[in-house]
Amino acid sequence: MYMDTNKILGEEKISKLLFKFSVPCVMGLLISAFYNIVDQIFIGNSSLGYLGNAATGISFPIICIANAFAWCIGDGAAAFLSICAGRNDKESTHKCVGTGITATFIVSIILVVICLVFQKPLMVMFGASDQTLQLALDYFRIIVAFFPFYLLLNVMNSMIRAYGSPTYAMIAMSLGAVINIILDPIFIFVLDWGIEGAAIATAIGQVVSFAACAVYFFKPKNFHLIKRSFLIDLAVLRKLIVLGGATFITQISIVVMSVLSNVTLFHYGALSKYGSDIPISVFSIQTKVYTIVNNIVVGIALGSQPILGYNYGAGKMKRVKETYRLLLISSVCVGVIATLIFEFCPQLIIGIFGKGNELYNDFAIKTFRIYLSLSLFTCLVKMTAIFFQSIGKSIQAMISSVIREIVCFVLFTITLSYYLEMRQVGEGIYGILFAAPLSDFVAIIVAISLTFVFFKSLNNSEEKEEKTIGIQSSHPGTIITIAREHGSCGKQIGKLVAEQLNIPFYYKEMTALAAKESGLASEFISEINQNSPTIFHQLYLSTNVVQQAIIAQEKIIKQIADNGECVIVGRAADYVLRENDNIVRIFLYAPQDVRIKNIMEMYGDTYDDAKVNIARSDEARASYYQNISGKEWKDIKNYDLCLNTSMGKEETAKFIVDYLKNRK
């Protein structure tokens, strides 16, 4: 099912592909950004002025927390649905949709209860002053009350995009945005409902978008939702949380930044000539404005994901480099334009959100010119994180994502604000302004370093010719699958068994055949179940290109089994062939000291290296097996025969052959 798409991704002009995939992503994200910015514009131009904007900004951390849960489940569901689609797994599809919706609803109700019970302490904690507290509460109550619609809207929208209907998802979001834009001036100015009117307009828009998304699931293409679909499947829920974990961490980092910003602005603002309300109001505007810039860069980068993923997996490194070059140019252009606007036209942007007094305008101009002075670097760091995510480099992606927000911004904000305030009373408020460009500077150095190391190590494997390998002739009989702990000599034992039975043996041969089937490089396919850190392996396995490799590999395993008797080592073959009646599933293991000795002899590792490699390899194999089957790799119930190979390779092979003969 992937072949036509792969041909396009591997051969079409990169610039044309990038435009095709990025435009829908950018448009969808911009709609989301404008959805959040509309309230600020109308509130700022009403009698509420900058105090109204400060009140909405105080609620922002809570909205980010809600987004963290919704987007975690939504992105996790999107990744899982892509996996289900590739395997035509309708059963898991309806469980994923139902579990995601039910879990989101439960989380939303919990958030509503907590937020409404503790609304006043929360608003005070996030920076509400005597002047803004009531306004913040009026806005907050209404927004929170509609969290079930808001969270479900985000989750279902992600599912719809993943299910192959990005246009429908964008239209559903657009409907709510348009409703919000229409109702805001009516409720705020005509009906004079003030900040509550803005909140009601937003809530109605969310309900409309939610309804549009809900309608989609009444007539799905390949699956049908029933009552039991909405019973939470814990295994599926765990998968959604794991796959959406990176998104959750990213959103929580935004929460940390928002809370720290509000607390810092409130504390040091009160000690300055600006007071606490002006800084919080200005930062609320700055955050929403920069979201537009950020979403353009992120949208372009997200559009490049299928291009990067496929070509990296196929070993077409020249196309990977060309895609990166275009991403870099696009991000630089967006960053430079944004920086020029922020530096030379800040008053123009500020004026869109209403008028303020002299102090308000002074702080706003300084914020845009200082805080956003290195927006170019911010754009490049965001692009770099998504680039690494697209090619399965989870560690580099995570480092690029958190270095600015979690590490640098927190450290610089706290230290600079304290230092400046100690140096001169009232100057501490500027600490947070300089913290952002300093964080950008450090983050770009890290991003450049990671990128340089990656490209330096890149091999143009597309120029290598794959050895032509075919499925060997055989005759009807038993299919022997061997799963093994690292260092238990499973590959060598499997080969001995095949030689003694005079039947074909498959190990590396499967990757070459799967490479031919998918168009991906055999080296890439070979590495998909090898060493990878625990917390990132599931994320890596969920990427589209890895799923293509897995599906191609499963297809080859089934073709090999259809051809007759053979021995297949690894690749979760026992699960892939679970419907075959003539299969013997074997698991090989050994004490750790034996395995360490074997690895030292086979690969020349030191004792410590062998010990580390055993842990990493076994974890990766377990993650791969769990991803494929949903079962535990070492569970003896999954196998017909489990053997300790410390008796020796020849003895183990002989035992297996005798077992097979007696079994017949």
Side-chain angles (χ1 to χ4, degrees), residues 335-357:
V336 168
I337 292 171
T339 302
L340 290 174
I341 293 173
F342 297 150
E343 292 299 319
F344 296 104
C345 310
Q347 192 64 56
L348 183 64
I349 301 173
I350 297 163
I352 297 174
F353 295 86
K355 297 179 181 179
N357 57 33

Side-chain angles (χ1 to χ4, degrees), residues 59-72:
S59 302
F60 187 66
I62 292 294
I63 295 173
C64 287
I65 292 172
N67 283 336
F69 286 102
W71 291 351
C72 173

Side-chain angles (χ1 to χ4, degrees), residues 311 314-319 321 458-467 521 523:
N311 286 288
K316 298 186 175 184
M317 300 310 169
K318 290 181 180 178
R319 290 178 66 81
K321 291 177 181 178
L458 209 58
N459 295 317
N460 289 319
S461 57
E462 63 176 324
E463 297 174 2
K464 298 178 182 179
E465 292 186 7
E466 300 286 359
K467 182 180 178 181
E523 183 182 13

Side-chain angles (χ1 to χ4, degrees), residues 168-216:
Y168 188 97
M170 185 175 69
I171 291 173
M173 288 294 289
S174 299
L175 283 174
V178 170
I179 293 294
N180 191 21
I181 292 171
I182 293 172
L183 294 181
D184 257 333
I186 295 174
F187 290 170
I188 295 174
F189 300 112
V190 178
L191 299 179
D192 195 25
W193 288 355
I195 200 167
E196 290 176 301
I200 293 170
T202 298
I204 292 175
Q206 291 169 358
V207 172
V208 170
S209 291
F210 161 79
C213 289
V215 167
Y216 178 88

Side-chain angles (χ1 to χ4, degrees), residues 514-533:
K516 184 178 179 181
E517 169 70 23
S518 64
L520 300 171
S522 61
E523 183 182 13
F524 175 80
I525 296 177
S526 179
E527 292 176 351
I528 60 177
N529 71 336
Q530 293 182 5
N531 294 352
S532 180

Side-chain angles (χ1 to χ4, degrees), residues 345-508:
C345 310
Q347 192 64 56
L348 183 64
I349 301 173
I350 297 163
I352 297 174
F353 295 86
K355 297 179 181 179
N357 57 33
E358 186 176 342
L359 286 175
Y360 173 84
N361 291 328
D362 177 57
F363 188 78
I365 291 172
K366 287 178 179 176
T367 297
F368 275 82
R369 285 181 173 166
I370 299 173
Y371 191 89
L372 300 177
S373 60
L374 292 183
S375 294
L376 169 61
F377 289 0
T378 313
C379 292
L380 294 178
V381 170
K382 291 286 185 183
M383 180 272 289
T384 300
I386 297 174
F387 168 75
F388 281 123
Q389 179 185 334
S390 303
I391 58 175
K393 301 296 181 182
S394 305
I395 296 177
Q396 291 92 324
M398 188 62 68
I399 292 172
S400 300
S401 296
V402 304
I403 189 67
R404 180 185 184 272
E405 283 85 356
I406 295 296
V407 180
C408 295
F409 185 78
V410 171
L411 176 64
F412 289 142
T413 296
I414 294 172
T415 56
L416 283 176
S417 296
Y418 180 80
Y419 170 74
L420 292 175
E421 188 65 30
M422 289 298 98
R423 195 181 70 166
Q424 185 174 339
V425 176
E427 296 293 304
I429 191 66
Y430 298 121
I432 192 171
L433 300 188
F434 289 101
L438 281 173
S439 300
D440 289 329
F441 184 76
V442 174
I444 195 64
I445 292 175
V446 173
I448 290 172
S449 300
L450 292 172
T451 305
F452 177 79
V453 171
F454 169 74
F455 279 113
K456 187 177 180 180
S457 65
L458 209 58
N459 295 317
N460 289 319
S461 57
E462 63 176 324
E463 297 174 2
K464 298 178 182 179
E465 292 186 7
E466 300 286 359
K467 182 180 178 181
T468 302
I469 296 176
I471 297 177
Q472 303 172 53
S473 60
S474 188
H475 50 271
T478 303
I479 311 299
I480 303 151
T481 66
I482 296 179
R484 77 282 185 217
E485 289 184 331
H486 187 47
S488 63
C489 298
K491 178 177 66 175
Q492 294 89 337
I493 292 169
K495 194 168 186 178
L496 287 172
V497 170
E499 289 172 353
Q500 292 180 34
L501 295 175
N502 194 29
I503 59 177
F505 171 77
Y506 294 95
Y507 176 60
K508 288 290 186 183

Side-chain angles (χ1 to χ4, degrees), residues 106-315:
I106 292 172
V107 169
S108 69
I109 294 300
I110 293 172
L111 285 174
V112 169
V113 172
I114 292 174
C115 289
L116 291 182
V117 170
F118 300 103
Q119 55 184 296
K120 189 171 181 179
L122 285 171
M123 292 298 93
V124 172
M125 182 174 69
F126 294 147
S129 67
D130 292 339
Q131 287 183 286
T132 59
L133 178 58
Q134 191 56 51
L135 288 173
L137 288 172
D138 292 342
Y139 185 82
F140 183 70
R141 289 191 194 104
I142 297 169
I143 293 297
V144 167
F146 283 84
F147 266 0
F149 295 100
Y150 179 62
L151 270 67
L152 286 169
L153 155 65
N154 282 293
V155 169
M156 291 192 294
N157 205 259
S158 295
M159 291 178 178
I160 292 169
R161 285 198 304 271
Y163 202 66
S165 302
T167 302
Y168 188 97
M170 185 175 69
I171 291 173
M173 288 294 289
S174 299
L175 283 174
V178 170
I179 293 294
N180 191 21
I181 292 171
I182 293 172
L183 294 181
D184 257 333
I186 295 174
F187 290 170
I188 295 174
F189 300 112
V190 178
L191 299 179
D192 195 25
W193 288 355
I195 200 167
E196 290 176 301
I200 293 170
T202 298
I204 292 175
Q206 291 169 358
V207 172
V208 170
S209 291
F210 161 79
C213 289
V215 167
Y216 178 88
F217 291 99
F218 281 99
K219 294 183 179 181
K221 297 176 182 178
N222 295 320
F223 71 94
H224 181 62
L225 291 176
I226 54 179
K227 287 183 179 179
R228 69 180 178 87
S229 302
F230 297 96
L231 296 175
I232 291 182
D233 186 308
L234 293 179
V236 171
L237 180 60
R238 176 181 176 276
K239 179 81 73 173
L240 302 190
I241 293 171
V242 169
L243 295 177
T247 301
F248 184 83
I249 293 171
T250 301
Q251 280 301 118
I252 290 301
S253 71
I254 295 175
V255 173
V256 172
M257 282 188 67
S258 299
V259 172
L260 177 63
S261 296
N262 281 2
V263 171
T264 302
L265 293 166
F266 180 83
H267 176 71
Y268 289 104
L271 301 175
S272 73
K273 62 183 179 181
Y274 302 110
S276 58
D277 295 326
I278 286 176
I280 290 177
S281 176
V282 168
F283 258 70
S284 177
I285 294 170
Q286 170 271 133
T287 300
K288 302 294 175 62
V289 170
Y290 187 74
T291 299
I292 296 175
V293 178
N294 181 70
N295 284 4
I296 293 173
V297 172
V298 170
I300 295 171
L302 289 176
S304 74
Q305 283 188 325
I307 308 169
L308 288 166
Y310 174 76
N311 286 288
Y312 181 75

